[in-house]
PDB file of all heavy atoms in Angstrom:
ATOM      1  N   VAL A 260    -102.081  35.325   3.572  1.00  0.00           N
ATOM      2  CA  VAL A 260    -100.955  35.421   4.498  1.00  0.00           C
ATOM      3  C   VAL A 260     -99.706  34.807   3.877  1.00  0.00           C
ATOM      4  O   VAL A 260     -99.725  33.673   3.380  1.00  0.00           O
ATOM      5  CB  VAL A 260    -101.283  34.710   5.836  1.00  0.00           C
ATOM      6  CG1 VAL A 260    -100.085  34.732   6.772  1.00  0.00           C
ATOM      7  CG2 VAL A 260    -102.497  35.353   6.491  1.00  0.00           C
ATOM      8  N   PHE A 261     -98.630  35.582   3.937  1.00  0.00           N
ATOM      9  CA  PHE A 261     -97.312  35.162   3.455  1.00  0.00           C
ATOM     10  C   PHE A 261     -96.310  35.362   4.590  1.00  0.00           C
ATOM     11  O   PHE A 261     -96.637  35.960   5.615  1.00  0.00           O
ATOM     12  CB  PHE A 261     -96.907  35.998   2.235  1.00  0.00           C
ATOM     13  CG  PHE A 261     -97.842  35.851   1.077  1.00  0.00           C
ATOM     14  CD1 PHE A 261     -98.987  36.640   0.989  1.00  0.00           C
ATOM     15  CD2 PHE A 261     -97.606  34.918   0.087  1.00  0.00           C
ATOM     16  CE1 PHE A 261     -99.872  36.502  -0.066  1.00  0.00           C
ATOM     17  CE2 PHE A 261     -98.488  34.770  -0.979  1.00  0.00           C
ATOM     18  CZ  PHE A 261     -99.626  35.566  -1.054  1.00  0.00           C
ATOM     19  N   LYS A 262     -95.094  34.905   4.382  1.00  0.00           N
ATOM     20  CA  LYS A 262     -94.086  35.011   5.438  1.00  0.00           C
ATOM     21  C   LYS A 262     -93.804  36.468   5.814  1.00  0.00           C
ATOM     22  O   LYS A 262     -93.640  36.790   6.985  1.00  0.00           O
ATOM     23  CB  LYS A 262     -92.792  34.316   4.997  1.00  0.00           C
ATOM     24  CG  LYS A 262     -91.749  34.245   6.095  1.00  0.00           C
ATOM     25  CD  LYS A 262     -90.582  33.373   5.696  1.00  0.00           C
ATOM     26  CE  LYS A 262     -89.569  33.256   6.818  1.00  0.00           C
ATOM     27  NZ  LYS A 262     -88.449  32.375   6.443  1.00  0.00           N
ATOM     28  N   TYR A 263     -93.754  37.352   4.830  1.00  0.00           N
ATOM     29  CA  TYR A 263     -93.393  38.742   5.099  1.00  0.00           C
ATOM     30  C   TYR A 263     -94.523  39.736   4.827  1.00  0.00           C
ATOM     31  O   TYR A 263     -94.341  40.932   5.047  1.00  0.00           O
ATOM     32  CB  TYR A 263     -92.170  39.140   4.259  1.00  0.00           C
ATOM     33  CG  TYR A 263     -90.934  38.380   4.649  1.00  0.00           C
ATOM     34  CD1 TYR A 263     -90.521  37.267   3.915  1.00  0.00           C
ATOM     35  CD2 TYR A 263     -90.178  38.750   5.757  1.00  0.00           C
ATOM     36  CE1 TYR A 263     -89.387  36.552   4.268  1.00  0.00           C
ATOM     37  CE2 TYR A 263     -89.048  38.040   6.124  1.00  0.00           C
ATOM     38  CZ  TYR A 263     -88.653  36.948   5.380  1.00  0.00           C
ATOM     39  OH  TYR A 263     -87.539  36.248   5.739  1.00  0.00           O
ATOM     40  N   ASN A 264     -95.635  39.265   4.348  1.00  0.00           N
ATOM     41  CA  ASN A 264     -96.745  40.162   4.008  1.00  0.00           C
ATOM     42  C   ASN A 264     -98.079  39.516   4.367  1.00  0.00           C
ATOM     43  O   ASN A 264     -98.174  38.305   4.435  1.00  0.00           O
ATOM     44  CB  ASN A 264     -96.773  40.466   2.498  1.00  0.00           C
ATOM     45  CG  ASN A 264     -95.520  41.129   2.007  1.00  0.00           C
ATOM     46  OD1 ASN A 264     -94.635  40.455   1.480  1.00  0.00           O
ATOM     47  ND2 ASN A 264     -95.420  42.427   2.169  1.00  0.00           N
ATOM     48  N   TRP A 265     -99.064  40.366   4.559  1.00  0.00           N
ATOM     49  CA  TRP A 265    -100.441  39.888   4.697  1.00  0.00           C
ATOM     50  C   TRP A 265    -101.365  40.920   4.064  1.00  0.00           C
ATOM     51  O   TRP A 265    -101.033  42.092   3.934  1.00  0.00           O
ATOM     52  CB  TRP A 265    -100.826  39.605   6.149  1.00  0.00           C
ATOM     53  CG  TRP A 265    -100.695  40.772   7.090  1.00  0.00           C
ATOM     54  CD1 TRP A 265     -99.631  41.074   7.885  1.00  0.00           C
ATOM     55  CD2 TRP A 265    -101.676  41.797   7.326  1.00  0.00           C
ATOM     56  NE1 TRP A 265     -99.879  42.221   8.596  1.00  0.00           N
ATOM     57  CE2 TRP A 265    -101.128  42.691   8.280  1.00  0.00           C
ATOM     58  CE3 TRP A 265    -102.952  42.057   6.839  1.00  0.00           C
ATOM     59  CZ2 TRP A 265    -101.817  43.811   8.749  1.00  0.00           C
ATOM     60  CZ3 TRP A 265    -103.639  43.183   7.298  1.00  0.00           C
ATOM     61  CH2 TRP A 265    -103.075  44.032   8.253  1.00  0.00           C
ATOM     62  N   LEU A 266    -102.521  40.422   3.663  1.00  0.00           N
ATOM     63  CA  LEU A 266    -103.523  41.261   3.019  1.00  0.00           C
ATOM     64  C   LEU A 266    -104.889  40.939   3.603  1.00  0.00           C
ATOM     65  O   LEU A 266    -105.231  39.769   3.772  1.00  0.00           O
ATOM     66  CB  LEU A 266    -103.549  40.978   1.510  1.00  0.00           C
ATOM     67  CG  LEU A 266    -104.727  41.538   0.713  1.00  0.00           C
ATOM     68  CD1 LEU A 266    -104.726  43.064   0.703  1.00  0.00           C
ATOM     69  CD2 LEU A 266    -104.713  40.989  -0.710  1.00  0.00           C
ATOM     70  N   ALA A 267    -105.648  41.981   3.906  1.00  0.00           N
ATOM     71  CA  ALA A 267    -107.060  41.832   4.271  1.00  0.00           C
ATOM     72  C   ALA A 267    -107.870  42.635   3.277  1.00  0.00           C
ATOM     73  O   ALA A 267    -107.551  43.797   3.011  1.00  0.00           O
ATOM     74  CB  ALA A 267    -107.314  42.345   5.681  1.00  0.00           C
ATOM     75  N   ILE A 268    -108.882  42.010   2.715  1.00  0.00           N
ATOM     76  CA  ILE A 268    -109.842  42.737   1.890  1.00  0.00           C
ATOM     77  C   ILE A 268    -111.190  42.585   2.563  1.00  0.00           C
ATOM     78  O   ILE A 268    -111.624  41.470   2.881  1.00  0.00           O
ATOM     79  CB  ILE A 268    -109.864  42.230   0.436  1.00  0.00           C
ATOM     80  CG1 ILE A 268    -108.536  42.594  -0.237  1.00  0.00           C
ATOM     81  CG2 ILE A 268    -111.056  42.847  -0.313  1.00  0.00           C
ATOM     82  CD1 ILE A 268    -108.459  42.321  -1.710  1.00  0.00           C
ATOM     83  N   ILE A 269    -111.815  43.733   2.805  1.00  0.00           N
ATOM     84  CA  ILE A 269    -113.101  43.759   3.496  1.00  0.00           C
ATOM     85  C   ILE A 269    -114.085  44.546   2.644  1.00  0.00           C
ATOM     86  O   ILE A 269    -113.866  45.717   2.347  1.00  0.00           O
ATOM     87  CB  ILE A 269    -112.985  44.407   4.888  1.00  0.00           C
ATOM     88  CG1 ILE A 269    -111.818  43.815   5.679  1.00  0.00           C
ATOM     89  CG2 ILE A 269    -114.305  44.243   5.644  1.00  0.00           C
ATOM     90  CD1 ILE A 269    -111.467  44.556   6.954  1.00  0.00           C
ATOM     91  N   ALA A 270    -115.154  43.867   2.235  1.00  0.00           N
ATOM     92  CA  ALA A 270    -116.207  44.518   1.460  1.00  0.00           C
ATOM     93  C   ALA A 270    -117.378  44.817   2.385  1.00  0.00           C
ATOM     94  O   ALA A 270    -117.811  43.951   3.149  1.00  0.00           O
ATOM     95  CB  ALA A 270    -116.657  43.614   0.317  1.00  0.00           C
ATOM     96  N   ASP A 271    -117.850  46.041   2.298  1.00  0.00           N
ATOM     97  CA  ASP A 271    -118.997  46.486   3.089  1.00  0.00           C
ATOM     98  C   ASP A 271    -120.054  46.978   2.110  1.00  0.00           C
ATOM     99  O   ASP A 271    -120.097  48.159   1.771  1.00  0.00           O
ATOM    100  CB  ASP A 271    -118.554  47.599   4.037  1.00  0.00           C
ATOM    101  CG  ASP A 271    -119.672  48.107   4.926  1.00  0.00           C
ATOM    102  OD1 ASP A 271    -120.841  47.756   4.693  1.00  0.00           O
ATOM    103  OD2 ASP A 271    -119.369  48.872   5.858  1.00  0.00           O
ATOM    104  N   PRO A 272    -120.886  46.056   1.593  1.00  0.00           N
ATOM    105  CA  PRO A 272    -121.853  46.428   0.562  1.00  0.00           C
ATOM    106  C   PRO A 272    -122.837  47.510   0.996  1.00  0.00           C
ATOM    107  O   PRO A 272    -123.235  48.341   0.190  1.00  0.00           O
ATOM    108  CB  PRO A 272    -122.590  45.121   0.251  1.00  0.00           C
ATOM    109  CG  PRO A 272    -121.731  44.041   0.792  1.00  0.00           C
ATOM    110  CD  PRO A 272    -120.939  44.634   1.912  1.00  0.00           C
ATOM    111  N   SER A 273    -123.214  47.518   2.265  1.00  0.00           N
ATOM    112  CA  SER A 273    -124.200  48.505   2.713  1.00  0.00           C
ATOM    113  C   SER A 273    -123.660  49.934   2.624  1.00  0.00           C
ATOM    114  O   SER A 273    -124.418  50.873   2.435  1.00  0.00           O
ATOM    115  CB  SER A 273    -124.659  48.207   4.137  1.00  0.00           C
ATOM    116  OG  SER A 273    -123.591  48.365   5.045  1.00  0.00           O
ATOM    117  N   ARG A 274    -122.355  50.071   2.753  1.00  0.00           N
ATOM    118  CA  ARG A 274    -121.726  51.387   2.652  1.00  0.00           C
ATOM    119  C   ARG A 274    -121.025  51.568   1.295  1.00  0.00           C
ATOM    120  O   ARG A 274    -120.353  52.562   1.076  1.00  0.00           O
ATOM    121  CB  ARG A 274    -120.733  51.579   3.787  1.00  0.00           C
ATOM    122  CG  ARG A 274    -121.404  51.624   5.164  1.00  0.00           C
ATOM    123  CD  ARG A 274    -120.382  51.661   6.297  1.00  0.00           C
ATOM    124  NE  ARG A 274    -121.009  51.647   7.592  1.00  0.00           N
ATOM    125  CZ  ARG A 274    -121.288  50.551   8.301  1.00  0.00           C
ATOM    126  NH1 ARG A 274    -120.986  49.367   7.809  1.00  0.00           N
ATOM    127  NH2 ARG A 274    -121.872  50.622   9.461  1.00  0.00           N
ATOM    128  N   GLU A 275    -121.164  50.542   0.438  1.00  0.00           N
ATOM    129  CA  GLU A 275    -120.539  50.536  -0.890  1.00  0.00           C
ATOM    130  C   GLU A 275    -119.044  50.860  -0.795  1.00  0.00           C
ATOM    131  O   GLU A 275    -118.523  51.725  -1.489  1.00  0.00           O
ATOM    132  CB  GLU A 275    -121.249  51.508  -1.824  1.00  0.00           C
ATOM    133  CG  GLU A 275    -122.693  51.128  -2.070  1.00  0.00           C
ATOM    134  CD  GLU A 275    -123.416  52.057  -3.014  1.00  0.00           C
ATOM    135  OE1 GLU A 275    -122.803  53.021  -3.520  1.00  0.00           O
ATOM    136  OE2 GLU A 275    -124.610  51.807  -3.260  1.00  0.00           O
ATOM    137  N   LYS A 276    -118.361  50.112   0.084  1.00  0.00           N
ATOM    138  CA  LYS A 276    -116.940  50.372   0.325  1.00  0.00           C
ATOM    139  C   LYS A 276    -116.158  49.054   0.349  1.00  0.00           C
ATOM    140  O   LYS A 276    -116.624  48.060   0.901  1.00  0.00           O
ATOM    141  CB  LYS A 276    -116.766  51.098   1.656  1.00  0.00           C
ATOM    142  CG  LYS A 276    -115.357  51.486   1.949  1.00  0.00           C
ATOM    143  CD  LYS A 276    -115.245  52.327   3.194  1.00  0.00           C
ATOM    144  CE  LYS A 276    -113.783  52.701   3.355  1.00  0.00           C
ATOM    145  NZ  LYS A 276    -113.476  53.337   4.585  1.00  0.00           N
ATOM    146  N   ILE A 277    -114.990  49.081  -0.259  1.00  0.00           N
ATOM    147  CA  ILE A 277    -114.060  47.958  -0.179  1.00  0.00           C
ATOM    148  C   ILE A 277    -112.760  48.485   0.404  1.00  0.00           C
ATOM    149  O   ILE A 277    -112.190  49.456  -0.099  1.00  0.00           O
ATOM    150  CB  ILE A 277    -113.803  47.312  -1.556  1.00  0.00           C
ATOM    151  CG1 ILE A 277    -115.092  46.674  -2.072  1.00  0.00           C
ATOM    152  CG2 ILE A 277    -112.685  46.280  -1.471  1.00  0.00           C
ATOM    153  CD1 ILE A 277    -114.975  46.044  -3.434  1.00  0.00           C
ATOM    154  N   SER A 278    -112.312  47.855   1.483  1.00  0.00           N
ATOM    155  CA  SER A 278    -111.055  48.236   2.123  1.00  0.00           C
ATOM    156  C   SER A 278    -109.999  47.206   1.770  1.00  0.00           C
ATOM    157  O   SER A 278    -110.212  46.004   1.942  1.00  0.00           O
ATOM    158  CB  SER A 278    -111.226  48.315   3.638  1.00  0.00           C
ATOM    159  OG  SER A 278    -112.168  49.298   3.983  1.00  0.00           O
ATOM    160  N   VAL A 279    -108.876  47.675   1.282  1.00  0.00           N
ATOM    161  CA  VAL A 279    -107.736  46.830   0.945  1.00  0.00           C
ATOM    162  C   VAL A 279    -106.617  47.227   1.906  1.00  0.00           C
ATOM    163  O   VAL A 279    -106.135  48.355   1.865  1.00  0.00           O
ATOM    164  CB  VAL A 279    -107.297  47.042  -0.520  1.00  0.00           C
ATOM    165  CG1 VAL A 279    -106.075  46.195  -0.837  1.00  0.00           C
ATOM    166  CG2 VAL A 279    -108.450  46.719  -1.467  1.00  0.00           C
ATOM    167  N   ILE A 280    -106.249  46.301   2.783  1.00  0.00           N
ATOM    168  CA  ILE A 280    -105.279  46.613   3.833  1.00  0.00           C
ATOM    169  C   ILE A 280    -104.081  45.679   3.706  1.00  0.00           C
ATOM    170  O   ILE A 280    -104.181  44.484   3.960  1.00  0.00           O
ATOM    171  CB  ILE A 280    -105.921  46.486   5.228  1.00  0.00           C
ATOM    172  CG1 ILE A 280    -107.170  47.379   5.331  1.00  0.00           C
ATOM    173  CG2 ILE A 280    -104.903  46.835   6.314  1.00  0.00           C
ATOM    174  CD1 ILE A 280    -107.986  47.194   6.601  1.00  0.00           C
ATOM    175  N   TRP A 281    -102.951  46.261   3.315  1.00  0.00           N
ATOM    176  CA  TRP A 281    -101.692  45.520   3.204  1.00  0.00           C
ATOM    177  C   TRP A 281    -100.813  45.850   4.405  1.00  0.00           C
ATOM    178  O   TRP A 281    -100.437  47.011   4.595  1.00  0.00           O
ATOM    179  CB  TRP A 281    -100.925  45.936   1.945  1.00  0.00           C
ATOM    180  CG  TRP A 281    -101.291  45.198   0.702  1.00  0.00           C
ATOM    181  CD1 TRP A 281    -102.041  45.661  -0.336  1.00  0.00           C
ATOM    182  CD2 TRP A 281    -100.897  43.871   0.334  1.00  0.00           C
ATOM    183  NE1 TRP A 281    -102.153  44.708  -1.311  1.00  0.00           N
ATOM    184  CE2 TRP A 281    -101.449  43.601  -0.936  1.00  0.00           C
ATOM    185  CE3 TRP A 281    -100.137  42.885   0.962  1.00  0.00           C
ATOM    186  CZ2 TRP A 281    -101.261  42.385  -1.585  1.00  0.00           C
ATOM    187  CZ3 TRP A 281     -99.949  41.678   0.309  1.00  0.00           C
ATOM    188  CH2 TRP A 281    -100.514  41.448  -0.949  1.00  0.00           C
ATOM    189  N   ASP A 282    -100.470  44.846   5.206  1.00  0.00           N
ATOM    190  CA  ASP A 282     -99.416  44.957   6.223  1.00  0.00           C
ATOM    191  C   ASP A 282     -99.572  46.175   7.137  1.00  0.00           C
ATOM    192  O   ASP A 282     -98.568  46.763   7.548  1.00  0.00           O
ATOM    193  CB  ASP A 282     -98.033  45.018   5.547  1.00  0.00           C
ATOM    194  CG  ASP A 282     -97.784  43.877   4.590  1.00  0.00           C
ATOM    195  OD1 ASP A 282     -98.180  42.746   4.892  1.00  0.00           O
ATOM    196  OD2 ASP A 282     -97.207  44.121   3.505  1.00  0.00           O
ATOM    197  N   ASP A 283    -100.783  46.557   7.464  1.00  0.00           N
ATOM    198  CA  ASP A 283    -101.002  47.761   8.269  1.00  0.00           C
ATOM    199  C   ASP A 283    -101.898  47.427   9.468  1.00  0.00           C
ATOM    200  O   ASP A 283    -103.114  47.617   9.427  1.00  0.00           O
ATOM    201  CB  ASP A 283    -101.641  48.853   7.406  1.00  0.00           C
ATOM    202  CG  ASP A 283    -101.684  50.210   8.086  1.00  0.00           C
ATOM    203  OD1 ASP A 283    -101.538  50.267   9.335  1.00  0.00           O
ATOM    204  OD2 ASP A 283    -101.862  51.212   7.376  1.00  0.00           O
TER     205      ASP A 283
END
């Protein structure tokens, strides 16, 4: 978390997926 931006990274190993979510 930053003043003007945020990032979430979510790894889902069972589905072999990594979600990278910037400011959305």
